[in-house]
Amino acid sequence: MKNSKPLSSRLNLLLFAFAMTATVSFAQTKMSVKTTEGKTTIDKHIFGHFSEHLGRCIYGGFWVDPALNVPKQDRIRMDVVDALKKIKIPNLRWPGGCFADEYHWRDGIGPREQRPARINTSWGMGTEDNSFGTHEFLELCSMLGTEPYIAGNVGSGTPQEMANWIEYLNYDGDSELAKLRKQNGHEKPFKVSFWGVGNETWGCGGEMTPEYYSDLYKRYATFCKNYPGTTLKKIVSGANSDDYNWMEVSMKNIPIWQMWGISMHYYTVVGSWQKKGSATAFGEDEYFKGIQKALHIEELIDKHSAIMDKYDPEKKVALAVDEWGIWTDAEPGTNGSFLYQQNSMRDALIAAVSLNIFTKHSDRIRMANLAQTVNVLQALILTDKEKMLLTPTYHVFDLYKVHQDAKLLPVQFESPAYSFGKESVPAVSTTVSKDANGTINITLTNVDATKKQTLQTVLEGFDWKKAEAQILTSTKYNDYNTFDQPNKVKLNKFTDFKKDGNQLSVTLPPLSIVSIQLTK
Ligand code: AHR
């Protein structure tokens, strides 16, 4: 058909279309940061970790065969310790998980050759030789410079067993249990303060109702004593994801003076619990779903926090997200009960958006623990005999360590959307904080799989002289590191930003996490 429009109007149309395309590809997101208005501190314990007697996390991960040819102290693997020291892990939760409610602490003390063999009935029915127990865990924490967070046994233990463990750990005076600790090589008390009273008591920790557990909590917590020099921070075993009734009943029944925090567990599962999906073989649909499901945690946090606010308006009690992360199918050819999964760029982005949500809610969230540190679920480190690799998720914690105990700065912006099919999620998320030296640290994430994002950020009242930046990115969301190619996804120097007065322009590539440090 002949075009009836005159040439000039067709040219105008073309020019208009060109201008529109140009506007779209150069669209800038405006951000503003109130650099003098930081009120809330981002508790360093938000960047915490979790190590369970599960698969190859403890045995084969942290604690290795004496014959393994890697640097070790006792049987603790030092390459793993050194890597974790670098990212300053603030706390380490142990011994579970489900395992915590079948663990009897006396099995893991004293001469190793006399320790009883038990069965790890939670994770694959393997033999638990108890060579890694209380002293070994606390030695590991001291090497890491991290705070221990012990989950006590409610499900199959007694209040007396729990009370005795705490006395053994923390009492400095003259008692049989303190003497036993000394005989076992630790003269001074360990001063453990983070204390979980059971784990997932709604499930593997005893299949309890919230009414029953909250009564039990009060009973057990009453006998968890503060010995001179150590005040316990007792943590209630809280809700499974959106179980708001669990939160309501717990907050109603347990007096706030009797708890430091209450936990919440949420895992990002892309498919169903039966068929979760592969850790590495997936397309954009499963990538998008992964991000979308990870972001769902914000709704859970909002709703749980609203319930907590009713009973604790001054926000004295912490919400501790003490298990989170992506849970995929186990790697083909591995023992399914060991939960060994690979870790891709998708996992890194999930970690970054989750941490941005935790920091944003740091008035209530004062602890979180990624599951789990080595060789299990969303691990920071994978090992294969002598070999070790750092996963993309490890690098996120490296970028985010600057926010530990820094002041959260308010940020205003509207994120562009990342759409897939008919659905969309915010493409950009951020954490901005000011540390004790006055340095401003900005971490920015772009989850869009194909589009870059240009950001124009005004830092009100802050002029900086020096800027340094790093980036974690990869061309595909399912790129990952292998023992043969351990540095496919790694941190690099980032230069795509510039200063204009107190404005910072940054261009984030697709699938990227950027950290910028601004110093006066
Ligand atoms: O992290 C793996 C398991 O997930 C933990 O043992 C349990 O608490 C949760 O169900």
Side-chain angles (χ1 to χ4, degrees):
M1 201 175 82
K2 215 173 152 226
N3 196 324
S4 55
K5 286 190 197 282
L7 184 65
S8 63
S9 99
R10 268 187 283 152
L11 262 175
N12 280 344
L13 251 165
L14 264 172
L15 276 171
F16 177 71
F18 175 75
M20 285 307 288
T21 329
T23 322
V24 171
S25 51
F26 293 108
Q28 284 185 345
T29 299
K30 304 252 182 245
M31 273 193 179
S32 95
V33 180
K34 306 226 179 303
T35 64
T36 52
E37 288 184 21
K39 285 192 204 86
T40 318
T41 298
I42 302 172
D43 199 309
K44 66 177 179 182
H45 292 294
I46 283 179
F47 304 92
H49 294 277
F50 174 32
S51 55
E52 180 167 8
H53 287 233
L54 192 180
R56 293 189 300 114
C57 183
I58 296 294
Y59 299 107
F62 283 112
W63 186 250
V64 293
D65 194 284
L68 192 75
N69 189 19
V70 289
K72 295 179 287 294
Q73 267 187 40
D74 193 352
R75 288 172 57 186
I76 295 175
R77 196 175 167 148
M78 292 312 287
D79 50 358
V80 168
V81 168
D82 291 343
L84 294 174
K85 268 169 84 174
K86 178 166 182 259
I87 58 169
K88 299 189 165 59
I89 71 166
N91 70 69
L92 191 60
R93 180 171 181 251
W94 175 85
C98 297
F99 182 79
D101 284 288
E102 64 167 303
Y103 183 63
H104 300 282
W105 68 273
R106 280 178 184 269
D107 292 347
I109 57 166
R112 284 186 200 141
E113 60 290 353
Q114 287 168 23
R115 297 186 193 174
R118 305 276 183 215
I119 309 160
N120 187 332
T121 62
S122 299
W123 303 110
M125 297 285 175
T127 303
E128 164 61 63
D129 71 4
N130 280 301
S131 56
F132 189 89
T134 298
H135 289 254
E136 291 78 12
F137 171 65
L138 291 163
E139 183 56 29
L140 169 66
C141 289
S142 125
M143 285 178 185
L144 292 168
T146 200
E147 243 191 281
Y149 167 16
I150 293 185
N153 178 347
V154 169
S156 69
T158 61
Q160 172 149 38
E161 183 185 3
M162 193 181 282
N164 287 348
W165 198 3
I166 295 167
E167 181 186 327
Y168 179 87
L169 291 165
N170 291 347
Y171 187 53
D172 199 11
D174 182 20
S175 81
E176 196 183 292
L177 286 167
K179 264 193 213 133
L180 187 59
R181 181 194 68 238
K182 292 176 193 176
Q183 266 168 33
N184 287 333
H186 212 271
E187 183 65 29
K188 284 285 153 203
F190 285 109
K191 298 191 169 199
V192 173
S193 71
F194 284 124
W195 196 263
V197 181
N199 168 73
E200 296 196 351
T201 45
W202 41 263
C204 63
E207 298 287 345
M208 303 174 197
T209 63
E211 288 80 7
Y212 179 70
Y213 169 68
S214 50
D215 278 348
L216 267 193
Y217 175 87
K218 288 185 279 191
R219 179 169 172 222
Y220 278 69
T222 301
F223 298 97
C224 294
K225 304 287 182 185
N226 291 328
Y227 292 102
T230 312
T231 304
L232 289 176
K233 293 176 179 155
K234 293 174 223 170
I235 299 169
V236 176
S237 156
N240 178 18
S241 95
D242 62 355
D243 187 347
Y244 303 116
N245 180 51
W246 189 280
M247 179 61 90
E248 184 81 47
V249 173
S250 307
M251 289 303 293
K252 190 166 165 217
N253 289 358
I254 304 171
I256 59 174
W257 61 262
Q258 224 181 6
M259 52 178 153
W260 175 85
I262 179 161
S263 72
M264 193 266 281
H265 289 181
Y266 176 69
Y267 284 99
T268 298
V269 177
V270 174
S272 63
W273 276 101
Q274 290 67 39
K275 185 112 204 48
K276 301 177 192 74
S278 163
T280 50
F282 55 86
E284 191 173 351
D285 51 343
E286 288 182 48
Y287 165 69
F288 180 86
K289 259 269 153 319
I291 299 293
Q292 193 180 41
K293 290 216 168 167
L295 291 170
H296 176 60
I297 202 170
E298 187 156 26
E299 181 183 327
L300 307 178
I301 291 166
D302 283 337
K303 293 187 175 164
H304 282 298
S305 301
I307 299 169
M308 293 178 78
D309 287 350
K310 278 201 293 176
Y311 299 93
D312 172 31
E314 289 174 50
K315 298 186 193 293
K316 290 187 173 150
V317 178
L319 180 59
V321 188
D322 62 11
E323 284 186 32
W324 68 275
I326 181 168
W327 191 326
T328 68
D329 291 336
E331 280 304 290
T334 64
N335 183 332
S337 305
F338 287 5
L339 312 185
Y340 175 78
Q341 63 190 46
Q342 248 296 354
N343 192 290
S344 70
M345 190 63 211
R346 175 179 66 179
D347 300 43
L349 290 156
I350 285 177
V353 297
S354 305
L355 291 172
N356 288 338
I357 293 171
F358 300 158
T359 58
K360 181 171 158 198
H361 295 272
S362 47
D363 56 340
R364 183 59 89 177
I365 300 186
R366 296 198 278 278
M367 172 181 263
N369 302 74
L370 179 69
Q372 301 191 3
T373 326
V374 191
N375 293 332
V376 170
L377 298 179
Q378 189 171 350
L380 301 176
I381 292 175
L382 301 178
T383 65
D384 177 17
K385 302 194 183 73
E386 288 82 6
K387 293 184 197 156
M388 183 196 100
L389 66 80
L390 306 176
T391 66
T393 300
Y394 171 92
H395 296 301
V396 175
F397 280 82
D398 196 2
L399 291 180
Y400 274 70
K401 67 184 180 209
V402 290
H403 296 306
Q404 293 192 15
D405 285 339
K407 281 268 180 284
L408 178 72
L409 296 182
V411 185
Q412 274 176 342
F413 80 108
E414 208 163 305
S415 170
Y418 161 41
S419 305
F420 182 77
K422 290 197 178 119
E423 301 189 63
S424 60
V425 294
V428 176
S429 66
T430 185
T431 297
V432 185
S433 70
K434 193 189 252 186
D435 70 16
N437 302 319
T439 298
I440 291 190
N441 287 296
I442 308 176
T443 43
L444 293 158
T445 299
N446 176 19
V447 296
D448 199 300
T450 52
K451 279 196 216 124
K452 62 184 179 184
Q453 308 289 346
T454 306
L455 312 173
Q456 191 74 43
T457 305
V458 177
L459 289 121
E460 289 169 21
F462 191 80
D463 196 14
W464 64 96
K465 298 276 169 308
K466 203 174 141 207
E468 276 176 296
Q470 292 188 90
I471 185 167
L472 184 72
T473 188
S474 203
T475 42
K476 288 190 270 137
Y477 31 71
N478 53 351
D479 281 344
Y480 57 97
N481 294 333
T482 62
F483 294 105
D484 294 329
Q485 209 185 345
N487 288 318
K488 187 176 173 69
V489 186
K490 64 170 178 41
L491 292 181
N492 284 301
K493 193 176 158 74
F494 178 68
T495 51
D496 208 354
F497 65 95
K498 63 175 193 289
K499 180 178 194 285
D500 183 7
N502 68 348
Q503 290 200 33
L504 175 73
S505 312
V506 185
T507 301
L508 302 174
L511 306 169
S512 65
I513 304 151
V514 160
S515 156
I516 306 177
Q517 194 167 66
L518 305 175
T519 1
K520 274 192 172 176

